[in-house]
Amino acid sequence: MNSGTHQARRPTIYDVAKLAGVSPSLVSLVLQKPERVSDKRREAVRAAIAELGYRPSRAATTLASSRTKSIGLVIDDYRNLWFVDLLRGMESVLTEQGYQVTLADSRPGQNRIKEAADGLLAMHVEGLVIAAEPGDATVWGAGVPVIVAGWRNGVPGDADLITNDDDAGGAMVADHLLSLGHQKIGHLSGSGGAAAHRRAGFEARLRQAGACPYIVGEEGGTSEEDGYASASWLLDHHPDITAIFAANDTMALGAFGALKARGLAVPADVSVIGYDNSSLAKSRYLELTSVDNRSDVVGADVASALLARIRGVISGSQRMLIDPVVVVRATTAPAREGHPEILK
């Protein structure tokens, strides 16, 4: 045996029991229900754990308690910054209750949502959060509580849903741009449920005011590349627009690229406003005006509602809308006069 490369054996619950002078079952009881053990024995076990550097196996604890203390979260794209604050909000509630979040990415493809959900269920999660477009996936009879985060297409009417009020957010964008004198406004949209609600609120408010919305990308994605492509088309076909509303901050970044490629300045030539108030919008480099959808609040409320479902303390379908707020920064300004030359 080469002792130079030999690694020390990981201490077990039996090692802890031997050092503390108690049974392995009592060690397990200290780990799970310490209040049921006398102070003297509890301290002896904890001292042994500290001395040995013992770390309990989560799998073993799960088998012993028949509970995983785990929540499954299905998302559709890791690049979407909205998920960062959603997850942060969920963990602010779940961590205090001893729960962890397990992520599954359901990138576009047939049955991907179902595959992602099935993978999480196979890990015996106690609840599911669906933050992706479910399509035809059958996740509602999963045998565990399911809550939808954000507007999604194809969600049953009686499903639990917690989301930003995207219709109101879209209307707020229209009000902000109208107040700055913009009348010809482009909108970079997408195919998801959230994008549809943001588009609906925005378009309705503009038309009420007699302004002209130019909408592109209703059936497309919402990545930076999608934002660049949609903004490029918009600027080529409607060079007289004075403002662009992007369905999220990532698409707004793509719009910046399209404007720069044509020699146009933000906001002197064209104002730009995003949605989500992500870390991207808060960057000192961009200082992007954006709608704060308070996704951390959505996440915290999702976690609280899911725990209540798990504990059986609520009944009936739950629907909750979180009010958005427009955060004005440096990328929106009064509408310019005249039409700049579009450089191609």
Side-chain angles (χ1 to χ4, degrees):
M1 181 177 71
N2 186 349
S3 59
T5 59
H6 177 68
Q7 294 183 347
R9 178 176 63 86
R10 180 177 177 177
T12 68
I13 195 171
Y14 299 100
D15 298 323
V16 174
K18 182 178 180 180
L19 182 59
V22 298
S23 66
S25 60
L26 191 133
V27 175
S28 180
L29 191 61
V30 169
L31 293 171
Q32 297 181 49
K33 297 180 179 179
E35 70 280 0
R36 295 177 57 181
V37 181
S38 68
D39 292 345
K40 182 178 180 180
R41 288 188 169 186
R42 185 169 62 244
E43 291 309 314
V45 169
R46 287 176 173 170
I49 288 174
E51 181 177 337
L52 293 171
Y54 171 71
R55 296 179 63 186
S57 165
R58 185 175 183 87
T61 303
T62 295
L63 290 173
S65 65
S66 298
R67 295 189 61 187
T68 62
K69 301 284 279 187
S70 181
I71 300 298
L73 171 61
V74 180
I75 66 176
D76 56 14
D77 191 345
Y78 281 113
R79 297 172 297 177
N80 190 333
L81 298 175
W82 178 79
F83 295 121
V84 176
D85 287 336
L86 176 77
L87 181 59
R88 179 164 57 87
M90 289 178 59
E91 290 185 332
S92 71
V93 172
L94 295 173
T95 300
E96 292 182 356
Q97 301 299 318
Y99 280 79
Q100 68 172 14
V101 179
T102 302
L103 278 171
D105 182 10
S106 66
R107 300 295 291 277
Q110 189 174 12
N111 297 322
R112 289 290 291 160
I113 288 283
K114 188 175 188 309
E115 290 175 6
D118 285 348
L120 292 169
L121 292 170
M123 298 170 67
H124 303 288
V125 294
E126 295 184 37
L128 279 175
V129 176
I130 304 298
E133 300 293 333
D136 297 328
T138 306
V139 297
W140 316 111
V144 299
V146 178
I147 291 186
V148 179
W151 291 111
R152 307 292 166 189
N153 294 323
V155 174
D158 58 350
D160 287 340
L161 171 68
I162 299 177
T163 181
N164 168 248
D165 190 345
D166 290 295
D167 293 84
M172 288 177 180
V173 170
D175 288 339
H176 173 62
L177 294 176
L178 288 169
S179 73
L180 294 172
H182 296 279
Q183 290 290 311
K184 295 183 178 180
I185 305 169
H187 177 39
L188 316 180
S189 190
S191 61
H197 281 270
R198 294 170 189 181
R199 180 172 67 245
F202 172 74
E203 184 176 10
R205 185 60 58 86
L206 277 191
R207 293 199 182 282
Q208 287 173 3
C212 183
Y214 298 103
I215 299 174
V216 61
E218 298 97 316
E219 302 301 322
T222 55
S223 68
E224 180 181 346
E225 293 81 5
D226 296 315
Y228 182 89
S230 291
S232 295
W233 187 94
L234 195 63
L235 292 165
D236 289 343
H237 290 80
H238 301 286
D240 56 344
I241 62 170
T242 61
I244 292 176
F245 165 39
N248 63 27
D249 294 340
T250 306
M251 292 189 82
L253 187 61
F256 271 83
L259 288 163
K260 181 179 180 181
R262 287 158 178 76
L264 298 174
V266 178
D269 294 319
V270 180
S271 288
V272 177
I273 182 169
Y275 207 110
D276 290 343
N277 197 35
S278 65
S279 57
L280 188 65
K282 301 170 186 175
S283 162
R284 289 186 178 87
Y285 178 74
L286 289 182
E287 294 189 88
L288 175 66
T289 297
S290 184
V291 178
D292 187 350
N293 61 1
R294 302 170 67 201
S295 51
D296 56 334
V297 177
V298 173
D301 287 343
V302 163
S304 296
L306 195 59
L307 290 178
R309 279 288 186 208
I310 291 171
R311 294 163 182 163
V313 299
I314 60 174
S315 61
S317 62
Q318 306 291 309
R319 294 238 159 178
M320 186 182 302
L321 295 180
I322 308 300
D323 293 331
V325 178
V326 175
V327 180
V328 179
R329 297 191 179 92
T331 61
T332 50
R336 56 171 164 73
E337 296 182 4
H339 303 164
E341 181 181 359
I342 303 300
L343 304 180
K344 297 186 180 179

